[in-house]
Amino acid sequence: MSYKVLSIFGTRPEALKIIPILKEFERQSHITSIVCSTGQHQEMLQQVVDLFDVSLDYSLNVMMPNQSLSQLTTRLLFEVNRVIEEVKPDLVLVQGDTTTTFVGSLAAYYNQIAVAHVEAGLRTHDIYSPWPEEVNRKMTGVVSALHFAPSQDAELNLLKEGVSRKNIFLTGNTIIDTLVMALKKIKTPTHLTQLEAEFQFLDPRKKMILVTGHRRESFGQDFKNICLALRRLAQLEDVQIVFPAHLNPNVQGPVNSILAGQDNIFLLPPLGYLSFIYLMKVAHFIITDSGGVQEEASYLRRPILVTRRLTEREEALSCPEEAVVGAKVGSILAKSQKLLHDVAYYKEMSATQNPYGNGHAAEKIATEITQYFKVPYFQIYNIVRKNTL
Ligand code: UD1
Ligand code: UDP
């Protein structure tokens, strides 16, 4: 007997975090794995899929420049529903907190198909920060049968919200699995030589600050402030800033108008995963609003400044009250200067704790899914489902 698992993802981070699970599914004879990309991030997702040699069974095309959340949600629901109706999976697997995640789980629910939610339970408890991700993640949880919590904090959040303990599995975060795979690749002489050549423009005498940014709640003045702080920071002689800018036009706009052509600032297109991880390793510190980058930084023990009001990943930071800097020019500059010039402070901020496991999350998830199909719970779930029709 083989069970069909339909994995749905659409953005770069979802792809990075689902791929190790797909690799595990390949090893399980009783799981038929079907992969659907919604195409929410056409180019940025392709980089990841190519690197890890993943084949897509469905490639939807829902991306339009600068579309509103409502447009994205409606287009996605329609398209994903068609795939679910055609595949008729036994389980739909989604990851994280994007619109693809939420809509994938909603479409599964509308078709009365069980949902497995990877990276469940992260919370800031503020529905506008991150926006719309906090609510996407919560709503996905509401319709999920299996909740894969990446950390103890996430598990606790789910328990507090009344999710039954038997449906929560503490697995670690699959990004660590992907990161471990990437670190192995980076070490090989061929990749290392390529990466060194790619970044030979960096001046080894200067401290490199790696930057990313893309959160919707920061678009407008906050994003401009972040860029203005970076421009001021780049005036320091011992600093160089590398900023691979997200393809969202709301990011590209201010980044190009405020930072293009500035000394000590290198604006790059979104980087392939190996290149980005190489830069994380050589960065003096990182300024970001990314979720995945916070997780990776905790494993790589890189100090990080988070340009957000709140983070759902406090557990990854050694001093959250110092690291979460918001989007004020003064505070980004002050904390950056401290990281550049105060050795004790730098050491303290580097002492991050990785709460996300050591790279075996995907294995645990695949095992639990196998169990789920074997044990009566799946049968019960389906019987209950049928009885309620
Ligand atoms: C999305 C997710 C966010 C996640 C982030 C990871 C939603 C609402 N947001 O944010 O949760 O943290 O991805 O990066 O699900 N674009 C391209 N090519 C690409 C990618 C984006 O051109 O490969 C442009 C398009 O103009 C698109 C815009 O970026 O309309 C915004 O993309 P979208 O996926 O809607 O939101 P993100 O800000 O990327
Ligand atoms: N990343 C990448 N290339 C880049 C920037 C980031 O491969 O140029 C990776 C990064 O290592 C992390 C993920 O993309 O794993 C984070 O994606 P993003 O910040 O877009 O989304 P979030 O994690 O905030 O949802």
Side-chain angles (χ1 to χ4, degrees):
M1 177 87 184
S2 178
Y3 294 100
K4 281 196 240 173
V5 179
L6 173 65
S7 302
I8 303 175
F9 55 90
T11 65
R12 170 176 63 191
E14 289 167 271
L16 284 165
K17 290 172 173 180
I18 281 188
I19 281 171
I21 306 173
L22 299 181
K23 301 276 172 206
E24 286 297 326
F25 285 164
E26 281 168 16
R27 287 187 248 267
Q28 316 254 352
S29 58
H30 47 273
I31 289 185
T32 305
S33 170
I34 298 134
V35 181
C36 172
S37 157
T38 62
Q40 194 179 331
H41 284 175
Q42 206 84 286
E43 300 91 331
M44 283 159 41
L45 183 119
Q46 200 56 47
Q47 289 179 326
V48 179
V49 162
D50 290 344
L51 174 67
F52 292 104
D53 205 13
V54 170
S55 37
L56 305 173
D57 299 294
Y58 290 87
S59 248
L60 310 179
N61 182 14
V62 298
M63 200 182 60
M64 305 234 296
N66 241 341
Q67 65 190 329
S68 70
L69 287 174
S70 303
Q71 285 170 315
L72 176 61
T73 303
T74 0
R75 279 166 68 81
L76 267 172
L77 189 57
F78 186 75
E79 296 287 331
V80 169
N81 189 67
R82 271 207 328 214
V83 175
I84 291 181
E85 280 180 356
E86 191 175 308
V87 173
K88 296 189 177 44
D90 296 296
L91 183 78
V92 164
L93 182 125
V94 292
Q95 192 284 336
D97 60 6
T98 71
T99 299
T100 289
T101 316
F102 161 55
V103 173
S105 65
L106 184 66
Y109 168 70
Y110 283 164
N111 287 278
Q112 300 196 347
I113 298 188
V115 175
H117 186 200
V118 177
E119 203 187 68
L122 275 66
R123 300 284 186 267
T124 59
H125 305 289
D126 179 333
I127 61 166
Y128 286 106
S129 181
W131 175 73
E133 289 82 2
E134 174 79 359
V135 165
N136 281 345
R137 202 187 293 272
K138 282 182 88 162
M139 292 195 292
T140 302
V142 169
V143 296
S144 291
L146 303 176
H147 306 255
F148 295 113
S151 66
Q152 280 175 348
D153 286 4
E155 181 184 36
L156 206 60
N157 287 334
L158 292 166
L159 288 170
K160 277 190 205 150
E161 289 172 13
V163 178
S164 164
R165 186 175 282 282
K166 73 178 190 328
N167 297 346
I168 306 173
F169 307 91
L170 179 60
T171 58
N173 197 314
T174 51
I175 194 65
I176 306 299
D177 305 28
T178 312
L179 180 58
V180 168
M181 286 194 269
L183 290 171
K184 273 191 200 138
K185 281 186 197 271
I186 287 175
K187 271 196 214 145
T188 61
T190 329
H191 282 301
L192 196 57
T193 314
Q194 268 171 14
L195 291 164
E196 281 167 359
E198 185 179 349
F199 298 111
Q200 64 181 353
F201 61 82
L202 292 174
D203 182 342
R205 292 162 302 179
K206 294 184 180 183
K207 289 173 179 160
M208 191 269 276
I209 305 171
L210 179 63
V211 181
T212 77
H214 70 84
R215 298 246 83 92
R216 279 173 193 253
E217 68 272 18
S218 308
F219 291 161
Q221 193 53 48
D222 280 357
F223 214 84
K224 280 188 198 148
N225 288 346
I226 295 167
C227 292
L228 290 171
L230 294 173
R231 195 164 75 184
R232 298 255 304 268
L233 205 52
Q235 286 163 2
L236 299 172
E237 274 177 12
D238 58 344
V239 162
Q240 54 196 336
I241 293 174
V242 181
F243 192 161
H246 194 285
L247 293 176
N248 193 320
N250 294 293
V251 175
Q252 292 281 329
V255 165
N256 286 315
S257 71
I258 300 173
L259 299 175
Q262 297 291 317
D263 286 346
N264 295 327
I265 297 191
F266 299 98
L267 296 183
L268 305 178
L271 295 172
Y273 191 58
L274 296 189
S275 306
F276 189 75
I277 295 303
Y278 174 85
L279 285 184
M280 281 191 83
K281 273 170 68 76
V282 298
H284 188 63
F285 68 93
I286 298 159
I287 300 179
T288 191
D289 59 16
S290 161
V293 174
Q294 289 175 66
E295 292 153 356
E296 290 156 344
S298 79
Y299 186 87
L300 297 170
R301 297 190 150 247
R302 304 320 294 156
I304 191 158
L305 297 180
V306 182
T307 48
R308 293 169 54 173
R309 222 162 32 80
L310 296 167
T311 178
E312 65 285 70
R313 293 165 168 95
E314 274 197 358
E315 61 218 359
L317 304 167
S318 62
C319 327
E321 60 294 346
E322 284 294 309
V324 181
V325 290
K328 296 255 175 355
V329 177
S331 121
I332 298 171
L333 268 179
K335 297 282 166 61
S336 298
Q337 303 244 30
K338 256 178 120 178
L339 277 172
L340 286 166
H341 304 126
D342 180 337
V343 178
Y345 184 75
Y346 184 83
K347 208 169 155 194
E348 199 186 333
M349 295 282 277
S350 312
T352 54
Q353 300 293 325
N354 159 35
Y356 303 119
N358 289 313
H360 299 284
E363 202 180 302
K364 289 184 186 156
I365 290 167
T367 307
E368 292 303 344
I369 288 177
T370 305
Q371 277 305 110
Y372 168 75
F373 285 134
K374 273 191 204 154
V375 297
Y377 179 71
F378 177 59
Q379 323 294 345
I380 292 164
Y381 185 88
N382 279 304
I383 291 163
V384 171
R385 209 176 78 189
K386 285 193 182 107
N387 283 344
T388 55
L389 282 175

